[in-house]
Amino acid sequence: MELGTIEDPSSSTFTLSEEDHTLANSLRFALNQDPRVTFSGYSIPHPSEARVNVRVQTTGDPASEVLRDSCQDLMLMCQHIRSTFDQAVTDFTNEKGLKDMDIKK
Amino acid sequence: MEKGSVWDLPDVPEGQLPPHIQLQRTRVHCNSDAPTHTENVQYSGAYSSLGVDNSLQLEQFRKNFRVDVIRLEKEEMEFDMVGIDPSLANAFRRILIAELPTMAIEKVLIANNTSVVQDEVLSHRLGLIPINADPRLFDYKSENDDPKENNTIVFKLHVRCERGSPRITVKSDELKWLPNGSEFSLETSAANSTSKPKTYTSFHTSQETLHDFSKKPIAPCHPDIILAKLGPGQEIELEAHAVKGMGKTHAKWSPVATAWYRMLPEVVLLKEVEDERAEKLVKTCPVNVFDIEDVGKGKKRAVVARPRGCTLCRECIREDEFKQDIALRRVKDHFIFTIESTGALPPEVLFTEAVKILEDKCERVITELS
Ligand code: SF4
């Protein structure tokens, strides 16, 4: 993973190696939802290279900071998704367990 | 009609989107020619001129996000995920297919194969067999690593069809797990015949003593996968070494038969459809989305009873008759997710693992940045 920056820290391109649409598309979503971002997009320069370029332009804050916050947001969302999912599965199995017992009676 | 001044028009209400824009934002409109409003508006300031904030608010997300399990079986599950952006739903799908590790046969040492199935075809078939070992208990084996108890699973297969007996079918239950590693000795070790002859693996302990493999021995997930057929006098003797890998290297390491999602269909009757027309509408739909409801006084009315089943075949809006009466839409943030596991891990575990992997990816970026 490397970082390509010019003098202006508010717009940068980040190169994420060993990543693809999976992370880049989710990141672009999180970035675009941040009010500090004026533009963000990603591209895969060549399909046989495992690498994505993520472009971030902000209203003034350093782009790397905004990218970090977006990653943080994504992580929090993931954690919430995981706990909600686990809860839903437990609820479902409990309910099913009860129903199965009714049948046996 | 008298022309009024623009200044007399009512103000656009601040803080909420007008209904038609809200509809375009949250629904895909499936028209008879092509779907429209398929895009997702992600930019936080997209509606700022209307005083609407489109940015990501975790609190809001936490409140709206919902998961409903519809079906949960040993190897298959279906659930609804509501209130999430397609980019995330797609990330989970992609991770499930290509980035969750599993164990699969990677190396096959063939001692004897006189069957009609060629060595390479047989090896490929072996590779595709799902193995019921939890990949989280194993390490990746790199090129230079010795095959050890923590990165390799060894199976033996030795079947022979005796002369004069009928043909036999070799199935995956013939693959016998060797918890102590390979039994084939390396040729070079024959010279210095010290203690144990060296084999193709260097296990220190039996895998049976590790974790709880003794309670749940490692084997193919399904005992009835046909590998080859043997005629009288034919024989297969081989050893298969399974290692940990990921679906993006080869599909044999994909833990799911497939994982997919679809958006929830929404069928709306814009106008009342009554009596004969109602009967006709019910007959038009091949999956029985519509039902007839009695409204008393001998009158009947069509209602949308099972929109979830709608396949969006658009049969109901093909003819002009109902084109104006029905709106077919898809809810953009409601995903009906289906996971079919190959058997190594149950589907609900697979999904939580997939979410964890996306988290790890984010964490990696964070550590790189700081
Ligand atoms: S699109 Fe097809 S499946 Fe859906 S309601 Fe119309 S006829 Fe039925």
Side-chain angles (χ1 to χ4, degrees), chain B residues 200-261:
Chain B
Y200 280 88
T201 55
S202 32
F203 281 23
H204 295 303
T205 48
S206 164
Q207 278 172 337
E208 258 170 336
T209 59
L210 302 171
H211 313 294
D212 49 357
F213 289 149
S214 50
K215 271 181 253 147
K216 191 176 157 243
I218 299 175
C221 293
H222 308 277
D224 52 356
I225 304 171
I226 296 177
L227 296 175
K229 296 202 176 183
L230 297 184
Q234 296 179 344
E235 181 177 0
I236 298 177
E237 183 181 3
L238 58 81
E239 235 180 50
H241 294 205
V243 297
K244 186 168 166 175
M246 274 200 288
K248 61 179 167 189
T249 319
H250 190 290
K252 68 183 174 187
W253 279 299
S254 186
V256 291
T258 193
W260 80 93
Y261 58 77

Side-chain angles (χ1 to χ4, degrees), chain B residues 196-356:
Chain B
K196 262 200 298 188
K198 267 186 90 162
T199 64
Y200 280 88
T201 55
S202 32
F203 281 23
H204 295 303
T205 48
S206 164
Q207 278 172 337
E208 258 170 336
T209 59
L210 302 171
H211 313 294
D212 49 357
F213 289 149
S214 50
K215 271 181 253 147
K216 191 176 157 243
I218 299 175
C221 293
H222 308 277
D224 52 356
I225 304 171
I226 296 177
L227 296 175
K229 296 202 176 183
L230 297 184
Q234 296 179 344
E235 181 177 0
I236 298 177
E237 183 181 3
L238 58 81
E239 235 180 50
H241 294 205
V243 297
K244 186 168 166 175
M246 274 200 288
K248 61 179 167 189
T249 319
H250 190 290
K252 68 183 174 187
W253 279 299
S254 186
V256 291
T258 193
W260 80 93
Y261 58 77
R262 62 193 183 107
M263 286 180 276
L264 179 78
E266 186 183 61
V267 184
V268 180
L269 287 173
L270 302 173
K271 291 185 201 139
E272 296 276 334
V273 176
E274 290 173 330
D275 301 329
E276 288 93 68
R277 290 188 70 225
E279 305 239 356
K280 191 164 170 212
L281 180 60
V282 171
K283 279 211 201 87
T284 330
C285 179
V287 290
N288 264 325
V289 164
F290 302 101
D291 245 348
I292 289 198
E293 189 185 64
D294 273 314
V295 281
K297 292 192 225 121
K299 273 203 162 297
K300 282 179 280 188
R301 182 173 74 177
V303 285
V304 183
R306 289 167 288 271
R308 204 183 158 91
C310 174
T311 56
L312 281 181
C313 65
R314 299 172 207 190
E315 189 65 24
C316 52
I317 52 170
R318 195 161 66 98
E319 306 287 340
D320 283 334
E321 179 162 12
F322 299 114
K323 223 177 212 164
Q324 303 303 321
D325 307 342
I326 300 171
L328 296 175
R329 301 182 193 136
R330 291 211 149 188
V331 185
K332 277 185 198 170
D333 67 347
H334 188 139
F335 297 95
I336 302 173
F337 220 103
T338 314
I339 301 173
E340 274 177 29
S341 159
T342 52
L345 290 174
E348 71 272 17
V349 177
L350 288 177
F351 186 79
T352 25
E353 289 295 312
V355 182
K356 267 188 215 157

Side-chain angles (χ1 to χ4, degrees), chain A residues 66-98:
Chain A
V66 175
L67 181 65
R68 197 165 55 227
D69 289 352
S70 293
C71 287
Q72 198 71 44
D73 279 354
L74 261 188
M75 270 178 80
L76 290 174
M77 282 171 86
C78 284
Q79 276 158 16
H80 181 69
I81 291 167
R82 221 170 62 208
S83 56
T84 318
F85 179 82
D86 285 343
Q87 189 57 44
V89 169
T90 346
D91 288 352
F92 182 82
T93 38
N94 286 348
E95 221 170 273
K96 209 175 119 210
L98 285 181

Side-chain angles (χ1 to χ4, degrees), chain A residues 19-20 22 32-33 82 86, chain B residues 42 44 94 352 359 361:
Chain A
E19 293 296 349
D20 55 5
T22 308
N32 269 317
Q33 295 267 295
R82 221 170 62 208
D86 285 343
Chain B
Q42 291 186 333
S44 61
R94 287 175 63 99
T352 25
E359 261 170 68
K361 282 173 182 286

Side-chain angles (χ1 to χ4, degrees), chain B residues 72-293:
Chain B
L72 177 60
E73 284 148 31
K74 219 175 112 242
E75 293 188 348
E76 213 179 309
M77 89 178 289
E78 183 179 327
F79 61 94
D80 284 16
M81 202 158 56
V82 193
I84 193 171
D85 192 81
S87 60
L88 282 171
N90 193 38
F92 298 142
R93 185 192 62 86
R94 287 175 63 99
I95 292 174
L96 278 169
I97 292 173
E99 296 188 42
L100 272 180
T102 38
M103 305 297 288
I105 291 170
E106 167 73 353
K107 232 180 218 157
V108 179
L109 314 176
I110 296 180
N112 189 9
N113 176 15
T114 49
S115 76
V116 290
V117 186
Q118 302 93 317
D119 291 0
E120 64 274 23
V121 177
L122 185 64
S123 310
H124 182 246
R125 290 182 75 83
L126 287 168
L128 294 172
I129 296 172
I131 292 164
N132 78 343
D134 189 337
R136 291 171 292 186
L137 305 176
F138 292 89
D139 296 334
Y140 286 103
K141 177 181 168 300
S142 65
E143 200 76 17
N144 312 321
D145 281 350
D146 275 340
K148 287 214 186 73
E149 64 274 10
N150 60 358
N151 59 23
T152 307
I153 302 172
V154 184
F155 294 99
K156 167 176 99 171
L157 185 136
H158 191 181
V159 223
R160 189 183 155 74
C161 183
E162 298 301 333
R163 280 190 193 281
S165 63
R167 277 176 294 166
I168 57 171
T169 305
V170 184
K171 297 204 175 146
S172 51
D173 59 349
E174 295 285 351
L175 278 174
K176 298 283 180 281
W177 176 40
L178 299 178
N180 291 309
S182 174
E183 287 174 351
F184 288 169
S185 54
L186 279 171
E187 269 168 31
T188 50
S189 65
N192 50 5
S193 54
T194 42
S195 54
K196 262 200 298 188
K198 267 186 90 162
T199 64
Y200 280 88
T201 55
S202 32
F203 281 23
H204 295 303
T205 48
S206 164
Q207 278 172 337
E208 258 170 336
T209 59
L210 302 171
H211 313 294
D212 49 357
F213 289 149
S214 50
K215 271 181 253 147
K216 191 176 157 243
I218 299 175
C221 293
H222 308 277
D224 52 356
I225 304 171
I226 296 177
L227 296 175
K229 296 202 176 183
L230 297 184
Q234 296 179 344
E235 181 177 0
I236 298 177
E237 183 181 3
L238 58 81
E239 235 180 50
H241 294 205
V243 297
K244 186 168 166 175
M246 274 200 288
K248 61 179 167 189
T249 319
H250 190 290
K252 68 183 174 187
W253 279 299
S254 186
V256 291
T258 193
W260 80 93
Y261 58 77
R262 62 193 183 107
M263 286 180 276
L264 179 78
E266 186 183 61
V267 184
V268 180
L269 287 173
L270 302 173
K271 291 185 201 139
E272 296 276 334
V273 176
E274 290 173 330
D275 301 329
E276 288 93 68
R277 290 188 70 225
E279 305 239 356
K280 191 164 170 212
L281 180 60
V282 171
K283 279 211 201 87
T284 330
C285 179
V287 290
N288 264 325
V289 164
F290 302 101
D291 245 348
I292 289 198
E293 189 185 64

